[in-house]
Amino acid sequence: MAAIGFSGSMFAAPAVADEPATRVKWGPCPEDVVAGAAPTQLECGTVTVPLDYSTPDGEQIELTISRLASTKPDKRRGVLMLNPGGPGGSGLTQPAFLVSRGLPNSVMDSYDVIGMDTRGVGHSTKMGCGFTVDTEYGGNLPVYAPDDAAVTEQARIAKDVAEQCAKNDDRLKHLSTENTARDLDRIRAALGEEKTSYLGYSYGTALGATYASLFPERTDRVVLDSNLGDTHLGRDGLRRYALGMEDTFPDFAMWAAARHETYGLGSTPEQVRETYFELAERLDEHPMPGIDGAQFRSATLGLLYQRMQYGELAQTWQYVLDAEEGAAPPEPDAAADAAPSPSDNAWSVLLAVTCNDVEWAEDVDTYRSAVAEDREKYPMYGAAAANIQPCAFWAHERTEPPVAINDEGPANILIMQNKRDPVTPHRNGELMREKFEDRSRLVSADESGHGTYLLSDNSCALNIGTSYLVDGELPKDQVCQAD
């Protein structure tokens, strides 16, 4: 039986005030949001929340939210909050993005669709570690370690990154999935709604699971798509990236083998897989301008996210195949490298939330052992997914466990999951279903890629997701076959 939140934490740090003092005042969105959402027109507003929920009357921060309002008052059910994943990415244009992917009129009639920049992100009160262009931290995909020495070197980089974050912005310690879920409830109240519906992708499933666990009585219809398998991303979830790549790569291998005359990557799926290892190992020994072995592996994983990216992935491999071995990397530009990184905000929030959500192992030998184990078990990416992260050296320590999934509450959680997903493998959807028990159902799509509802071409999954959001009938557990 799962408990709500932390032991005693609902009393030590109230999740949300019963009612905020003010409602959202809608107005024009920032210019970059207007441009990014075009031709869809959104409204924007702000909600004020505590930086630290244990001192709700202390320092306040702002959250910027967007709205695509229903134009059918007679059909409007309430609000549908969105989260595109991350954490760290802006979600203000997410309503418009889903419109571009074919968000049905029936859903837009039923809800005011709400996007947002979560705490610390973008047009909300922004926070960061102060990363520059030459920062060695690699972003949201872990770095492959070809040997023990590479784990040791990555530990040095991870330690430097963690120390820089601790020195640059003390507010980062308040970035967590739990606090973001509390923010969602402040937004719900500021919108004047007794309940909220929710659609979250990838990391957004952890946020949605946290909200549904802390505030079950305030959830209406919840869709969790491409799941992390829990309320947070910990070492186990990160290591399952390697399983996801092994599950998904055969789809690309078959695609590339059928196009061998065009790309020359192998005439059978087995030969394409061999080409992957040959190119990765060549780049380990002889990096090329702009790409080394670790970057090649991460690029391959990233371009498995959607089938439409397979052509770009094949081109990347061709670049390595056709280039002269041992080409020297370009000379560094010291002035350019010292410039602020455009990824500072996104990477900083991703790190802070990931590291703050759970306790991470601190012993480098723990990671060495895991890397060695997963290099054998999942040879394509295991030695990356198990590698050491800045979380091992994070300055802000948790004193309580992460939010536990609450299996007591309304049966209103639809879990959607592709059978083959490079970073959130199908096993994650099964784990979420097991933890929510009778509150949830799992709809699996026989598809490849990251994202099911509106993000795949599966008509069965589209119909089920739409029907649930509009009509509210939770479907049975089932598998949607490929069209």
Side-chain angles (χ1 to χ4, degrees):
M1 187 69 65
I4 295 179
F6 297 154
S7 174
S9 67
M10 291 295 288
F11 300 99
V16 66
D18 289 337
E19 280 292 333
T22 59
R23 298 287 176 87
V24 178
K25 294 181 180 179
W26 298 105
C29 291
E31 290 184 5
D32 61 322
V33 176
V34 173
T40 301
Q41 296 182 357
L42 304 175
E43 304 168 282
C44 286
T46 60
V47 178
T48 301
V49 300
L51 175 66
D52 182 354
Y53 275 97
S54 67
T55 56
D57 295 327
E59 182 178 351
Q60 305 291 299
I61 58 175
E62 282 195 341
L63 307 175
T64 300
I65 65 175
S66 63
R67 179 176 72 168
L68 178 62
S70 169
T71 59
K72 302 290 180 64
D74 57 324
K75 296 183 178 180
R76 183 187 181 278
R77 178 177 182 81
V79 297
L80 176 65
M81 294 186 187
L82 306 179
N83 187 279
S90 174
L92 289 174
T93 62
Q94 185 72 359
F97 170 73
L98 293 186
V99 169
S100 76
R101 296 292 303 183
L103 184 67
N105 286 343
S106 57
V107 176
M108 291 187 282
D109 291 344
S110 299
Y111 299 98
D112 291 348
V113 185
I114 306 296
M116 66 190 72
D117 280 356
T118 53
R119 60 170 47 212
V121 173
H123 289 284
S124 295
T125 301
K126 186 180 290 189
M127 305 176 198
C129 295
F131 293 139
T132 58
V133 173
D134 67 345
T135 299
E136 296 175 287
Y137 174 57
N140 64 335
L141 293 179
V143 177
Y144 190 89
D147 52 32
D148 262 6
V151 180
T152 301
E153 173 60 15
Q154 188 60 27
R156 179 194 66 78
I157 294 170
K159 187 172 186 293
D160 288 346
V161 167
E163 290 175 351
Q164 178 172 342
C165 292
K167 288 187 297 185
N168 196 70
D169 194 338
D170 190 57
R171 298 172 302 171
L172 292 170
K173 65 186 178 185
H174 298 293
L175 298 184
S176 68
T177 302
E178 178 186 15
N179 280 338
T180 304
R182 290 178 170 135
D183 293 343
L184 293 186
D185 208 56
R186 284 287 179 111
I187 294 170
R188 172 203 59 78
L191 293 172
E193 302 289 335
E194 292 185 4
K195 295 184 177 183
T196 183
S197 292
Y198 180 87
L199 169 59
Y201 294 90
S202 195
Y203 164 77
T205 65
L207 177 57
T210 300
Y211 187 80
S213 296
L214 290 175
F215 308 105
E217 74 285 357
R218 295 174 189 165
T219 59
D220 188 10
R221 297 167 184 174
V222 177
V223 180
L224 307 180
D225 190 313
S226 306
N227 291 259
L228 296 191
D230 213 322
T231 60
H232 56 273
L233 178 63
R235 286 187 63 227
D236 289 344
L238 192 60
R239 290 175 75 176
R240 286 194 295 272
Y241 283 20
L243 170 62
M245 186 166 184
E246 296 284 352
D247 286 347
T248 308
F249 183 80
D251 286 4
F252 170 72
M254 288 188 288
W255 181 94
R259 295 159 178 79
H260 176 62
E261 293 184 10
T262 296
Y263 295 109
L265 304 181
S267 59
T268 67
E270 293 76 17
Q271 289 178 357
V272 175
R273 183 178 172 92
E274 290 173 6
T275 300
Y276 170 82
F277 289 110
E278 290 170 3
L279 296 179
E281 290 165 9
R282 178 199 298 182
L283 289 168
D284 285 338
E285 297 181 6
H286 304 290
M288 290 169 45
I291 188 166
D292 59 20
Q295 291 165 331
F296 173 79
R297 293 175 175 92
S298 292
T300 298
L301 176 64
L303 290 171
L304 292 175
Y305 272 47
Q306 300 292 336
R307 294 186 69 94
M308 69 180 66
Q309 297 176 307
Y310 284 3
E312 183 180 352
L313 178 53
Q315 288 176 325
T316 301
W317 286 30
Q318 275 193 316
Y319 167 71
V320 179
L321 276 170
D322 296 343
E324 180 181 349
E325 286 194 32
E331 290 294 324
D333 182 336
D337 288 349
S341 170
S343 302
D344 174 45
N345 181 228
W347 286 1
S348 300
V349 174
L350 183 148
L351 261 183
V353 172
T354 303
C355 299
N356 289 335
D357 274 356
V358 293
E359 285 287 342
W360 288 72
E362 299 177 1
D363 183 8
V364 178
D365 285 339
T366 299
Y367 296 91
R368 286 197 188 95
S369 297
V371 165
E373 177 183 339
D374 286 6
R375 185 185 292 114
E376 295 297 321
K377 189 175 183 180
Y378 304 114
M380 301 197 80
Y381 204 67
N387 205 356
I388 193 164
Q389 301 295 311
C391 298
F393 306 99
W394 202 245
H396 311 298
E397 294 187 2
R398 292 191 69 92
T399 58
E400 298 178 282
V403 173
I405 285 182
N406 179 10
D407 60 16
E408 294 185 345
N412 62 351
I413 299 171
L414 175 58
I415 298 166
M416 306 192 80
Q417 191 74 43
N418 286 342
K419 281 284 191 177
R420 299 171 301 284
D421 184 314
V423 286
T424 58
H426 188 260
R427 178 57 184 151
N428 289 8
E430 295 173 339
L431 288 169
M432 198 74 95
R433 174 69 175 88
E434 293 166 7
K435 292 170 183 175
F436 271 117
E437 297 186 0
D438 291 342
R439 291 190 66 188
S440 66
R441 299 292 185 272
L442 171 61
V443 172
S444 305
D446 185 18
E447 301 289 347
S448 182
H450 192 49
T452 304
Y453 182 66
L454 294 171
L455 302 187
S456 75
D457 292 325
N458 191 286
S459 59
C460 166
L462 175 66
N463 292 336
I464 289 174
T466 300
S467 178
Y468 176 60
L469 286 171
V470 175
D471 300 324
E473 184 175 348
L474 197 63
K476 64 181 180 180
D477 293 319
Q478 60 191 282
V479 175
C480 285
Q481 300 301 325
D483 291 340

